[in-house]
Structures are given as structure tokens and as C-alpha cells.
Amino acid sequence: MTEVAITPMQRIKPKISKDDVVMRLSMAAIALYLIVAIALPLYALLSKSFQNNHGDFVGFANYITYLTTPALSWSIGNSFKVTLLATVIVLFIAFIYAYALTRSCMPGKSLFKGIALIPILMPSLLPAISLVFFFGQQGIIKSWLLGAELYGPVGIVMGEVFYVFPHVMTILLIGMSLSDARLYEASEVLGASKIKTFFSVTLPSLRYGLVSAFFVAFTLVITDFGVPKVVGGQYNVLATDVYKQVVGRNDFQMGAVVSMALLLPAVFAFVADRLVQRKQVALLSARAVPYQPKPDRIFDMIMLAFCSLIAFIILSILGMAIFSSLVTFWPYNLTLTTKHYNFDLMDGGGWASYFNSIQLATWTAIFGTIVVFFGAYLVEKSRGFKSGRTAMQALCMVPMAVPGLVLGLSYVFFFNHPDNPLGFLYHTMPILVICTITHFYTVSHLSAVTALKQMDPEFEAVSQSLKAPFYKTFWRVTVPVCVPAILDISMYLFVNAMTTVSAVVFLYSTDTSLASVAVLNMDDAGDQSPAAAMGMMIVSTAAIVRLAHMILTRGLKRRTQAWRNR
Amino acid sequence: MSAEQGEPYIKIVNVTKNFGEFTALRDISLEIFDKEFVCFLGPSGCGKTTLLRAIAGLDIQSSGQIFQKGRDISALPPAERDFGIVFQSYALFPNMTVRRNVAYGLENQGVPGKQIEQQVTELLQLVGLPEQEDKFPAQLSGGQQQRVALARALATKPGLLLLDEPLSALDAKVRTHLRHEIKELQHKIGITTIMVTHDQEEALTMADRIVVMNQGVIEQVGTPSEIYSEPASPFVADFIGTTNFIKGKLATRQSVQIGNIAIQVDNPSASLVTGSEVLLCIRPEDILTGERAIDVANQVESVIDRVEFLGSFHRVHMLPLAGDGTELMIDVSVARAREIDLTIGSSLKVALPAMHMNVYPSDN
Ligand SMILES: Nc1ncnc2c1ncn2[C@@H]1O[C@H](COP(=O)(O)OP(=O)(O)OP(=O)(O)O)[C@@H](O)[C@H]1O
Ligand SMILES: [Mg+2]
């Protein structure tokens, strides 16, 4: 008999198997990627803001200059003003829209839902260009502004409301479809009027969704660069300031300082939103019964009218973008032409920039999905190494709080540093891919985690007992089961890589110019119609990809329904 | 079966498992013999699964050792241990057919394809699921899924089978049927088996030996009849079956005083000091009534409070023997009930045979 002398409290040190080694190395690789892609660049940005242009440490000198120069610090107040205004307006509109979609019996709901999502397919520059054609110096309905100037706060607020509408509407829609029907029934039984029910049941049950939507809208607007770039005029906001300091004045230190000013509210909004969402999860744990609206002619008609109006506005902004890309010479010659699509005759990189964008989006979708999904798997399903996993989970959340411009600029500082061995990446396609993946990392990571959490936690244990290495079970079980989520993630990454401007505007080179940047540059040069044409190329590509994704997902669901449906 | 001779197949020595501050297993020692069917039984959260996962190496203990066939496996990862496991959820891979699920472990061992096919067919035959090879788990009933999970766990011919509440997701009828089948299968292939359950009936009918656990410690190890008739603690007595608890005081080494009644007892534990507060335990079916009570010591009398009819017997609830004591339950078979008067309010004479009574210290 194997009798070993036993010291009673001797701690057992688990033996590390080959599988464990592979697992830990993979985790280290992903962690290293995240450190290089997000932590170190942000550190480079932060330290840059404390240096003068010779690279000496100067403490808070740059910050003091920034705050004491009214021409600079002015944009802080501007940013907050337009952001708050746009956020409140979009919350109001999106709330009613989502309310109509969930609580009324109006016809055409799925059509309205689809139309509401159109802005997602556009780079934010494009609706702003449409606004110029509507309300600019030569806009067709300029008079509707009652003498107000489009360029400035008015244009920014209008553009931003359009740009963030689908995001806010989706959050509220989810919040409303989750709320419990039993509360409404109870309220009805108690004889409460529709209005009273609204204030005593609907609003309170939606407070988390509203707060979350508020913070998301706030972050999106304050960090957006496309809209104020086109219709901001002389009205400086933080995002355009970063761009102006860096591209216009080559003042990288001040660019870093303004970036920090932009980063702070974004981080604050992000943290606040996380705290609120944590509470909401606890709230939802009880099983809710979905609400079934009952027909009410007058109410349904009002809702239909409202949604039609909003849908009409969205469609006309899209329509105006299409029209302006086809019109010969606004407003003097309105005959239609396709000459603006001859990008090769224009500055901005020509058709090459469109194909670069396709390339960027493809690589981002492929590599991004691989890194994000495998990373999420390791965070969620690997064993041991708990502190490492927690740290990695935290690192995965950081990109969400970092505005694209700030991320792009921090890449400039980090990768362009003479001592960085990764410097060879600077001005190449790979750096654009890395930056774009990082920019959209968090949302993709969270959808991967959600899908993984729905899988039986014992799959990994069973696979260990059957002596299968973890990567085999990952490949043979986890990936096939999660294919719908994987497709969602790659589609999300593709569309966003097509439309993003802010993350890449500091990083492209003449060889890697991009479609979205071309929109920016052509607009800057006064070529609004070609800019709109390039914007339309982005929109139609994104739309086609979305459609392909939908067809693919549907086909897949049909083919695998034998084992998917329980 | 539980011939406790030779070297134990599994030997657990002073195993402790902490989750941060919380101690889920406290100094557990246990031996399990070859071909034995052992059940870990206890209330929810007592640490059964934790102990099972420690044996599997899925959550390695904080301290203490585990031996399998004399080999120290304490620190080994699951892949280097020899066992098959079935979880409560079965964890069947949803995207693989029954055949691929069962073959999964064999593929990892590098068994040639032809042989795998043949073995899988045999295994499915063995668990009573022929001709379902090409279905997906979602197309099977709960009981069928359970058998597939069993076949998958047995495919690699492990020396030890671990089952974590394998029947609790099934409805009662299927459960009873499968209980019998699993037991028969275990007997046929002669595999040492540990099953976790919180269902006492399951443990009593299936196990060669039962390990009763409570709050991270083992309360008692024994055969089902030992556990049932000689529970080592009031916890075990209460957890398994139904028991009367009667508070009293140990008057002498042979008698317990309940109010003004003296009850004769057989050799109470030597650790009990005369004069200390004790708990007397006796099962309702061990209390004698009618003519069987005549000539037996410990005759007591009380008033019938209410009677429950439970199919093959009546459970008679009597008013407390003394003061604020607990009411006494007596199971009277239907046949005997015809001979005695069970009218509510009437008085009934019963006997508490000393041989069926257990005495415990009353501090818990
Ligand atoms: N990973 C963990 N981290 C912290 N505590 C844990 C963990 N796993 C188990 N515990 C705790 O250890 C205790 C024992 O858990 P275990 O799962 O072994 O219970 P069990 O006896 O199997 O109960 P059940 O019948 O509910 O399955 C419980 O109190 C549980 O909360
Ligand atoms: Mg358990």
C-alpha cells in the first residue's frame, strides 16, 4: 500500500499538463496583443501630454496652457452643450419610436425597424453632407431654419441626432421588449388610465434602459468627428480640435492634451453605464412575460404618423445623399450623371481607397473575429489563472471607453516612436487593421461572451475527462455551436471598418488611403458630390454585406435546426 | 460486494477544499473498494460535487491526497487520471450525432476508425440505445440522452465511473427505471462507481455503501441498512427516512428520563456522561403497538392527535409524552390498524424497543 507520510495542511500544487501550457500560452498571446494594441499606446498618449515638443517632461504645463487659452478651452463647453442637446433630443425621438414599435398595433413595424437602422450603414460624414444639400448656403430648404445658420451647433445637433438614432432606439427597444406584461395587466385591472400606466409602470421599468441609452448617446456624440467636421463651421468641439491640432497645426502635444479632455468624459460615461447595467441584470433575473399590445385606433394612428415622419426624414437624408452623388452641378445643373463616381479624377485616393477599405474591412472581420472570439473563449472558459483572466476581461472593456480619434492618435505616438521595434507597421495596412479591431473590440467581445455563456459549462470538463485537448473541443464543439454569433461579430466588424473615420484618420498613408477618409478629404476640398458618391459606395457595400449576412444566417439556421432547436 | 479486503481502489486522505474563505470540504478521509457502487448523499451545498470533482481532478483539492489503485493522483490533471464522468446536464455535444458523441473519447485515444465504429455500436447496444446512432441529442428524450452520456463516459473503458446527479433531470417514472438499469450495467461491467445524489431513495436502492455528507464533512459511511438502522448522528437519522426525536436526560447508563417516564436503552455511546441532555431517536415503524407491545419494556401511553393514511400504512401522531416534548409518530400497518383503536382522542399504549433506539448528545 502506498503510505506516504502526510503533513496535514500540505497544499496541493496541481500539475501543469501540456494542455494547460497551451492554454496559458494562448492566453498570454491574446493578453500581449491587447497590451500592445491598447494599453501601451494609451500610455504613450498620456506621457506625450506631459512633454514639450522636444520630448522633455514638463508636468502639467500643456494642460495649463490648454485651460488658460480661451480659443482652446472654449471647445470643452461647446462639446458639452451640443452633446447634451443632441442626446436629449435623440432620446426623446427614439423613445417614442421604440414605444410605437413595442406598445402599439400600428402596421409595418418590421419595415420601420429596418429603416431606423439605416444610419448605421453610413459614415457620419455622409448625413452631414446631406444636411449641407438641404440647409447649407445653397440648400433647397435653407429657409426652414428660419434664418439660423446650419454650420455650427444647429448642424452638429441635427447630424448627431441622425447618426446615433439607431443605437439609442435599439437599446430602448430591447429594454421595452423585456419589461413585464404582468405589471401592465395589474395596472389595467386597477383601472389606471393609459397615461397613468405610462408614468407609473412604463417609465420606472425603463429607467435603466434610458440611463444606458443616455450614456451611449452621450459617448457617441461627444466622440464623433464626422458630423462636426462637415457642418461644424467655426464652432469648435473637442473632436474637431484634436484633428485640427494634429493635422492642421502639427501640435502633437496639444493634440494629446485635447485627447485627454475627450477621453475623460467618455471614460466617465462608460463607467457609469457599466454600473447601471450591472444593476439591471439583477433586476431582470425574475422571469418576465412579454407584453402583447392591444389595438387602439387613435393611439395607433398617432404612433404611425410619428414613425412615418421619422422614417421619412431618415429616408430623405439617405435620398439626398444619393441625389447629391448623382447631380451634375448643384444647384445650377440638376441633370443626373455618374461622373462623380469617377474617383480617379479626384483627390482622395480614387477608387484605390475604396478597394483599400474593402481590404481593411475584410481583414478586420477575419482577424478581428478570430482574436475576439478566441480571446473571449479563454477569458470565459479556461481554467486556473484567475487573476490573469480577470485582468484580461478588464483590458477587453477598455477600448469601448476610448474615442476613435484618441486611439488613432495614441497609435501615432506609440508606433511612430523611433525606439519601437514595431515601428515598421506604421503607415501600413496591418496597423489600420489592428487599430480598427481594437476600436470595435469591446462590443464584439461582449457578444462573444454572451454566446459562450449560453453553452453548457461542463463541455470543457467532459472534454478533459475524454482526454481531448481544449483546442480540439473548441474547434469541434464551441465554434460550430457559436457560428451565428461569430457571423454577427464579423459582420459588425466589417460594417464598422467600412464606415469608421475617426480611428484611421491619423494612420492612413498615400498607399493605404481609405474610402471614409476620401469622403472627408473630398468634402474638405469642396467636392461635396464626389464625397457623397464615395459615401454611397460605403453605404451600398455595407448594405450588401448586411444582406449577405442575413441570408447566410438564415440558411445556416435551417441547415442546423436538427440539433439547434430544443 | 463491499468486501473490505485488500487495497482500496480509491483512497482519500485528509482532503480539504477551500474556495477563498469558505471551506467546502473539511478533512475528508474515505476508502472505496474495487467494483463498489458508492453514493455521496447529502443536502444541497454539502460538498458532494466538490468531492467528486476533486476525485476527477476538475477542481483539485487545496490539501490532502487522493490515491487510485495505490497511485498518488492528487495533483494530476483530469487527462492523466482514469475515469469517465456523467453530469447532471449530460453535456452532450449538441452538434454531433449520438455516434460522434460516443466516439469522441475513442478518437482522442487514436483508436482506428473501424474499431471505433464497432465499439460505439456495442456500447449503444449495452446502454439499450441501438439504432439511434445518427440522431442528434436534441432529438432524443431525457432518458435516452442520459444513456448516451453514460455510453460516452464508458467508451474509453475507464476504471472509475463518476456520476453527478445523473437522474435528477428526469421524471419520476423514467428515474426509477434507469436506477435499476444503471445498477445492472455497473454490475455487468464491474466498474467502480461513485454517484452523487441528494435523493435518499436513490442512494438506498442503488448503493453498496453510502457516504452521508453534511457541511463539508462526512457524517457516516456504511451500507444502506447500517445507515438506516444505526444512524451515526441525529443528522443522518433525520436526513434518511423519518425519525422521532425525543428529548431527555441520561439518568443511568441504561436509562433515559423523559419527564417522569424512565426509558431503558441499550449501551449508549461511552462518551455520554450520565446526567447530560440527550436525544432519543426511534423510527416510526419500529414502535410496537397492540399485542406486539405486550411484554416489551418501555411501555408508554399517549393520546392520538391525528392519523394520516399513507397507502400501505397509517401514520399516527400522538401528543407529546411529557411537557413540551415533540409529538410521537407511529407507523401502523393497515393490517394491524384493524386490530387496534385509532380513533382520534383515544389513548394508545405503545412500546419503544430498546434495540431500535439510538441515543445522541443533544447539543446539536
Ligand atoms: N467554484 C466555487 N467557488 C466558491 N464556492 C463554491 C464553488 N463551488 C462550490 N462552492 C460552494 O461549495 C459548497 C459545496 O458545493 P457543492 O457543489 O459541492 O455542493 P453539492 O453538495 O454538490 O450541492 P448540490 O446538491 O446543490 O449540487 C457550496 O456551498 C457552494 O456554494
Ligand atoms: Mg452538486
Side-chain angles (χ1 to χ4, degrees):
Chain A
M1 208 193 244
T2 332
E3 272 302 350
V4 190
I6 292 151
T7 27
M9 280 313 287
Q10 190 187 338
R11 275 202 85 80
I12 294 290
K13 251 191 110 59
K15 183 182 157 194
I16 308 293
S17 66
K18 214 161 81 194
D19 201 39
D20 289 325
V21 174
V22 178
M23 190 178 263
R24 283 173 198 203
L25 285 179
S26 324
M27 222 184 314
I30 302 267
L32 189 70
Y33 171 83
L34 286 171
I35 289 171
V36 169
I38 182 84
L40 293 179
L42 282 182
Y43 175 74
L45 174 82
L46 185 67
S47 51
K48 199 72 170 184
S49 71
F50 291 106
Q51 290 169 3
N52 63 17
N53 53 5
H54 301 299
D56 307 321
F57 181 78
V58 292
F60 282 98
N62 294 329
Y63 287 88
I64 292 165
T65 316
Y66 176 64
L67 290 174
T68 51
T69 312
L72 289 173
S73 52
W74 186 53
S75 58
I76 301 180
N78 288 353
S79 262
F80 273 89
K81 255 182 266 170
V82 290
T83 302
L84 284 175
L85 193 59
T87 303
V88 170
I89 294 174
V90 77
L91 271 180
F92 189 73
I93 298 174
F95 187 94
I96 301 177
Y97 203 92
Y99 193 77
L101 287 180
T102 49
R103 300 294 150 82
S104 80
C105 289
M106 66 174 190
K109 279 187 192 173
S110 47
L111 181 68
F112 283 117
K113 219 182 267 180
I115 292 174
L117 296 181
I118 287 177
I120 287 185
L121 305 176
M122 301 187 177
S124 61
L125 293 155
L126 192 57
I129 292 174
S130 281
L131 287 179
V132 172
F133 282 85
F134 275 119
F135 304 107
Q137 299 302 340
Q138 292 156 330
I140 37 169
I141 48 169
K142 182 169 184 264
S143 58
W144 289 24
L145 288 183
L146 305 171
E149 168 80 12
L150 170 74
Y151 297 97
V154 176
I156 298 179
V157 170
M158 288 202 293
E160 299 292 8
V161 166
F162 176 85
Y163 164 58
V164 300
F165 176 74
H167 302 274
V168 174
M169 207 281 293
T170 310
I171 295 174
L172 293 176
L173 198 62
I174 292 171
M176 285 182 198
S177 33
L178 283 178
S179 68
D180 199 335
R182 287 171 297 190
L183 292 174
Y184 292 88
E185 275 156 22
S187 181
E188 252 165 56
V189 170
L190 294 173
S193 70
K194 218 168 178 129
I195 291 170
K196 179 131 189 249
T197 307
F198 177 82
F199 282 104
S200 60
V201 180
T202 313
L203 269 187
S205 76
L206 266 175
R207 60 184 183 275
Y208 293 116
L210 273 170
V211 172
S212 188
F214 174 86
F215 285 121
V216 167
F218 183 89
T219 314
L220 283 172
V221 174
I222 204 167
T223 60
D224 178 54
F225 162 70
V227 173
K229 179 72 188 67
V230 176
V231 293
Q234 298 305 311
Y235 193 79
N236 284 351
V237 293
L238 287 167
T240 46
D241 252 8
V242 176
Y243 183 74
K244 278 181 191 156
Q245 292 300 328
V246 175
V247 174
R249 306 191 44 220
N250 253 323
D251 188 344
F252 286 92
Q253 286 69 33
M254 201 45 79
V257 172
V258 187
S259 292
M260 295 308 291
L262 185 56
L263 182 59
L264 276 182
V267 169
F268 171 76
F270 169 75
V271 172
D273 181 38
R274 286 271 104 191
L275 291 179
V276 171
Q277 283 192 14
R278 195 165 299 169
K279 277 211 179 125
Q280 183 171 24
V281 171
L283 196 80
L284 278 177
S285 55
R287 275 250 164 268
V289 181
Y291 178 77
Q292 290 295 340
K294 291 184 201 70
D296 174 340
R297 270 199 62 137
I298 298 175
F299 175 71
D300 292 346
M301 286 317 282
I302 296 175
M303 288 294 132
L304 181 64
F306 179 84
C307 289
S308 306
L309 177 67
I310 300 297
F312 177 75
I313 294 174
I314 293 173
L315 289 175
S316 30
I317 288 183
L318 176 70
M320 182 52 99
I322 299 173
F323 177 66
S324 53
S325 78
L326 294 173
V327 71
T328 310
F329 187 50
W330 179 270
Y332 307 107
N333 179 354
L334 297 185
T335 46
L336 299 184
T337 169
T338 55
K339 71 168 183 169
H340 302 304
Y341 286 81
N342 262 335
F343 301 121
D344 289 338
L345 304 179
M346 244 79 64
D347 285 341
W351 274 99
S353 55
Y354 172 71
F355 292 112
N356 280 338
S357 267
I358 297 274
Q359 223 183 73
L360 169 68
T362 309
W363 291 132
T364 302
I366 294 173
F367 288 115
T369 308
I370 294 173
V371 173
V372 166
F373 191 77
F374 192 51
Y377 173 81
L378 290 172
V379 168
E380 201 51 40
K381 301 280 179 179
S382 63
R383 46 187 187 269
F385 210 37
K386 197 141 187 240
S387 48
R389 271 159 52 198
T390 315
M392 218 163 110
Q393 172 78 0
L395 214 51
C396 291
M397 301 310 294
V398 175
M400 179 97 121
V402 181
L405 279 174
V406 177
L407 187 70
L409 187 57
S410 68
Y411 270 45
V412 173
F413 294 140
F414 180 65
F415 286 97
N416 198 26
H417 195 282
D419 297 336
N420 190 339
L422 296 171
F424 67 91
L425 289 173
Y426 196 60
H427 276 334
T428 62
M429 181 56 81
I431 200 176
L432 290 173
V433 174
I434 295 173
C435 183
T436 313
I437 293 175
T438 310
H439 187 34
F440 300 106
Y441 200 99
T442 308
V443 173
S444 323
H445 174 78
L446 290 177
S447 23
V449 165
T450 308
L452 287 168
K453 272 199 199 300
Q454 286 166 358
M455 295 193 56
D456 192 321
E458 309 294 10
F459 283 157
E460 277 66 35
V462 163
S463 129
Q464 276 180 284
S465 80
L466 297 175
K467 316 209 179 338
F470 83 93
Y471 46 84
K472 181 173 173 188
T473 306
F474 172 76
W475 187 243
R476 296 262 320 259
V477 181
T478 315
V479 170
V481 173
C482 290
V483 164
I486 289 173
L487 285 178
D488 286 350
I489 293 169
S490 42
M491 198 262 318
Y492 168 83
L493 286 173
F494 189 97
V495 169
N496 279 292
M498 281 305 290
T499 56
T500 187
V501 187
S502 61
V504 292
V505 74
F506 298 135
L507 293 173
Y508 74 96
S509 70
T510 42
D511 293 338
T512 55
S513 78
L514 299 167
S516 55
V517 179
V519 177
L520 172 80
N521 288 337
M522 291 192 278
D523 173 74
D524 232 11
D527 297 331
Q528 257 97 25
S529 284
M534 186 62 98
M536 279 320 298
M537 288 308 300
I538 296 177
V539 174
S540 29
T541 311
I544 288 168
V545 167
R546 258 198 109 98
L547 204 68
H549 166 263
M550 205 170 79
I551 294 168
L552 209 62
T553 307
R554 218 171 259 172
L556 186 89
K557 288 231 168 96
R558 203 172 24 231
R559 258 199 11 203
T560 58
Q561 70 179 358
W563 56 268
R564 248 176 228 289
N565 294 340
R566 286 239 161 200
Chain B
M1 260 287 186
S2 61
E4 302 191 16
Q5 81 277 58
E7 183 180 331
Y9 184 82
I10 293 282
K11 187 176 162 77
I12 297 169
V13 187
N14 302 113
V15 161
T16 294
K17 173 76 184 177
N18 302 311
F19 291 110
E21 294 284 281
F22 179 74
T23 306
L25 296 176
R26 199 184 301 271
D27 206 20
I28 298 274
S29 296
L30 179 67
E31 294 184 345
I32 293 167
F33 294 89
D34 197 22
K35 299 191 172 38
E36 221 183 353
F37 194 119
V38 169
C39 274
F40 293 171
L41 176 64
S44 187
C46 70
K48 310 175 294 280
T49 300
T50 309
L51 184 55
L52 195 80
R53 291 178 74 93
I55 295 171
L58 293 167
D59 274 313
I60 290 179
Q61 69 276 17
S62 312
S63 65
Q65 276 156 304
I66 300 178
F67 300 89
Q68 184 170 13
K69 274 169 119 180
R71 180 168 79 120
D72 186 349
I73 56 166
S74 314
L76 297 185
E80 292 177 40
R81 302 185 185 202
D82 175 26
F83 70 95
I85 190 164
V86 175
F87 292 100
Q88 186 176 358
S89 65
Y90 314 141
L92 293 174
F93 303 133
N95 60 323
M96 294 186 192
T97 58
V98 167
R99 174 178 287 283
R100 292 267 72 80
N101 263 287
V102 178
Y104 200 73
L106 294 169
E107 288 167 14
N108 295 315
Q109 288 188 331
V111 180
K114 260 230 178 76
Q115 205 175 323
I116 292 184
E117 300 301 300
Q118 193 192 334
Q119 284 189 24
V120 169
T121 311
E122 281 169 19
L123 275 159
L124 289 173
Q125 208 99 49
L126 185 71
V127 297
L129 264 189
E131 284 147 34
Q132 310 278 352
E133 286 100 329
D134 296 318
K135 287 196 177 164
F136 287 104
Q139 297 168 318
L140 300 179
S141 73
Q144 290 174 320
Q145 290 181 24
Q146 209 277 335
R147 290 173 220 224
V148 177
L150 204 57
R152 183 175 66 179
L154 292 172
T156 53
K157 299 203 166 57
L160 175 65
L161 180 61
L162 304 176
L163 309 167
D164 190 355
E165 314 227 7
L167 301 175
S168 63
L170 303 170
D171 57 49
K173 200 140 185 201
V174 185
R175 202 181 320 179
T176 333
H177 180 65
L178 271 174
R179 246 184 225 166
H180 180 70
E181 271 194 18
I182 290 180
K183 180 72 194 170
E184 204 160 287
L185 185 67
Q186 187 261 344
H187 194 77
K188 191 150 84 184
I189 54 181
I191 185 173
T192 312
T193 303
I194 303 176
M195 182 172 98
V196 162
T197 178
H198 61 251
D199 180 340
Q200 45 157 316
E201 204 180 300
E202 212 165 278
L204 290 171
T205 51
M206 294 174 80
D208 297 322
R209 280 195 306 152
I210 298 177
V211 176
V212 184
M213 298 179 63
N214 184 26
Q215 299 188 350
V217 299
I218 293 180
E219 291 270 344
Q220 188 174 6
V221 182
T223 63
S225 63
E226 278 167 6
I227 299 267
Y228 191 82
S229 55
E230 294 152 42
S233 62
F235 170 82
V236 178
D238 193 30
F239 188 71
I240 293 167
T242 312
T243 292
N244 290 298
F245 286 106
I246 310 163
K247 283 191 206 146
K249 189 178 265 176
L250 192 65
T252 70
R253 301 259 10 126
Q254 266 86 44
S255 82
V256 171
Q257 196 69 30
I258 299 160
N260 53 11
I261 311 165
I263 300 281
Q264 301 302 311
V265 292
D266 280 353
N267 46 32
S269 151
S271 61
L272 287 173
V273 194
T274 19
S276 61
E277 301 283 327
V278 292
L279 273 182
L280 260 184
C281 288
I282 185 162
R283 302 229 179 247
E285 70 269 24
D286 288 333
I287 298 179
L288 302 179
T289 51
E291 52 197 39
R292 288 175 65 211
I294 303 168
D295 296 337
V296 179
N298 298 336
Q299 301 262 346
V300 294
E301 191 167 353
S302 184
V303 175
I304 297 177
D305 186 31
R306 63 203 158 88
V307 179
E308 279 173 280
F309 178 55
L310 295 172
S312 57
F313 63 91
H314 297 268
R315 177 156 293 167
V316 182
H317 295 258
M318 316 244 289
L319 290 179
L321 291 180
D324 58 352
T326 38
E327 59 170 30
L328 205 57
M329 292 174 284
I330 302 158
D331 288 353
V332 181
S333 72
V334 174
R336 188 155 308 275
R338 292 194 197 102
E339 300 161 14
I340 55 180
D341 178 17
L342 290 182
T343 334
I344 293 170
S346 65
S347 161
L348 185 65
K349 215 175 218 164
V350 300
L352 312 175
M355 59 181 295
H356 292 311
M357 259 185 303
N358 292 296
V359 188
Y360 306 103
S362 87
D363 46 33
N364 41 358

